[in-house]
Amino acid sequence: MALYKFISGLRSALQTTTSRNITSRNHATLKDCKDRLRDMHIPDKPKKPLTPYFRFLRDYRQDKIKSNPEVKATELVKMGAADWAKAHASIKDKYTNEYKQDLEEYTVKMTAYNAKLTPEQQESIKEIRRLKTASKLKREIKKKSRDLHKPKRPLGPYMQFLMEKSKDEKENMVVLMQKYKGQFQLLPDAVKQKYVQLFEDDRKRYELQMKEWEQRMIAEGHEDLVRHASQPRTPHSRLSAVVKPKKQ
């Protein structure tokens, strides 16, 4: 447990100090697209109308808060969901009709909104939508991998060096990184080799654990979490790797 806390703290410290300089490709591209959209002065997009259920929940919440201001938001949602499920058809029809009417107005507004956009603006909006979808999928896969106990990546030589200093000095990671900034590169090669070897040993541990973990993920139907090179190859994929397309 102590080692896990150390590694988490160390990685968190490294991420904090390098986040200004190191960003993922998707994140940087998404930010660039948003900046470009802002510079284009695109008008605000019409808001989608609330669905019948959320209209009911909105009114339900207002009524309940008046009679019981101390009720928690989570409890309100549970109570509202239960009451909506057993609500009379006339109540549901009321909210459904309101939704349909607002949806017609929304469709008209969206048509006018899209007609005003230039091709460049439309393309930028599509790109942002694509990047948001990719970013969301990446977060979901990362969370799923964490929940299924994916092995931790090996610590590099510099982090192995900091781990040793942390054990000796009992200091906070941020303090150690500031204290030893640039000093690792000045170490003699013979001293560095010690931490390089620790990294290599950790890397071998990681690869063995990853191989076992990925085999288990494939067996359990989680192939989306497995590295491409480790995925089982179908007869079609093996044939594609052998047969090269003819040149035109």
Side-chain angles (χ1 to χ4, degrees):
M1 180 62 72
L3 179 60
Y4 175 79
K5 288 182 177 180
F6 167 81
I7 294 174
S8 298
L10 183 56
R11 284 185 171 137
S12 176
L14 281 172
Q15 185 178 12
T16 300
T17 55
T18 59
S19 60
R20 294 182 180 179
N21 299 322
I22 303 175
T23 55
S24 68
R25 183 177 180 273
N26 277 351
H27 178 75
T29 306
L30 181 58
K31 182 180 183 302
D32 290 342
C33 285
K34 287 183 176 180
D35 290 343
R36 187 163 66 250
L37 281 182
R38 187 167 55 249
D39 294 340
M40 290 179 179
H41 304 291
I42 295 179
D44 293 335
K45 185 178 179 180
K47 292 184 179 181
K48 288 184 178 180
L50 291 175
T51 61
Y53 168 67
F54 282 106
R55 289 168 183 269
F56 168 81
L57 197 62
R58 175 196 59 195
D59 296 343
Y60 182 89
R61 178 178 177 276
Q62 292 174 353
D63 293 339
K64 290 296 181 182
I65 287 179
K66 289 179 181 178
S67 59
N68 187 7
E70 302 299 325
V71 65
K72 295 182 179 179
T74 52
E75 289 299 320
L76 274 174
V77 173
K78 291 180 182 178
M79 293 163 56
D83 285 358
W84 171 258
K86 58 186 181 183
H88 192 272
S90 60
I91 296 177
K92 292 187 176 181
D93 288 344
K94 169 182 174 293
Y95 289 106
T96 300
N97 291 333
E98 290 179 359
Y99 169 70
K100 288 180 178 179
Q101 182 178 348
D102 288 350
L103 185 60
E104 290 179 1
E105 295 179 3
Y106 168 76
T107 303
V108 173
K109 290 179 180 178
M110 277 301 300
T111 301
Y113 171 81
N114 289 326
K116 292 179 181 179
L117 297 176
T118 66
E120 184 182 5
Q121 290 173 333
Q122 292 177 356
E123 190 61 33
S124 295
I125 291 174
K126 288 180 181 178
E127 181 67 8
I128 281 187
R129 191 179 299 122
R130 184 189 70 79
L131 290 171
K132 283 184 176 179
T133 301
S135 179
K136 180 182 179 181
L137 179 61
K138 185 177 180 180
R139 291 195 303 271
E140 290 174 350
I141 289 178
K142 186 175 181 180
K143 182 182 183 303
K144 186 178 177 182
S145 298
R146 185 171 61 249
D147 293 343
L148 291 171
H149 310 293
K150 182 179 180 180
K152 300 291 183 182
R153 286 183 174 274
L155 298 175
Y158 174 60
M159 294 182 72
Q160 296 284 356
F161 168 74
L162 287 181
M163 177 184 283
E164 183 179 85
K165 294 299 180 182
S166 176
K167 291 178 180 178
D168 294 340
E169 302 181 21
K170 311 295 182 184
E171 271 288 5
N172 178 277
M173 286 302 100
V174 176
V175 174
L176 287 175
M177 291 179 67
Q178 293 175 346
K179 181 177 180 180
Y180 291 103
K181 182 179 180 181
Q183 293 192 28
F184 180 77
Q185 297 299 329
L186 300 177
L187 293 175
D189 290 343
V191 177
K192 284 184 184 178
Q193 185 58 37
K194 169 187 173 182
Y195 303 106
V196 171
Q197 187 58 51
L198 288 173
F199 163 68
E200 290 296 334
D201 295 342
D202 200 20
R203 185 178 63 80
K204 291 177 182 177
R205 179 274 313 164
Y206 170 74
E207 289 299 334
L208 287 173
Q209 291 182 354
M210 276 297 294
K211 185 176 181 180
E212 295 175 357
W213 184 79
E214 287 181 329
Q215 288 175 348
R216 181 163 58 86
M217 292 300 101
I218 292 173
E220 295 178 1
H222 302 300
E223 291 187 11
D224 56 323
L225 304 181
V226 178
R227 293 171 295 184
H228 181 72
S230 302
Q231 291 181 0
R233 304 184 70 184
T234 63
H236 176 74
S237 64
R238 287 195 293 268
L239 181 64
S240 300
V242 175
V243 180
K244 295 182 179 179
K246 295 181 180 180
K247 291 184 179 180
Q248 299 294 331

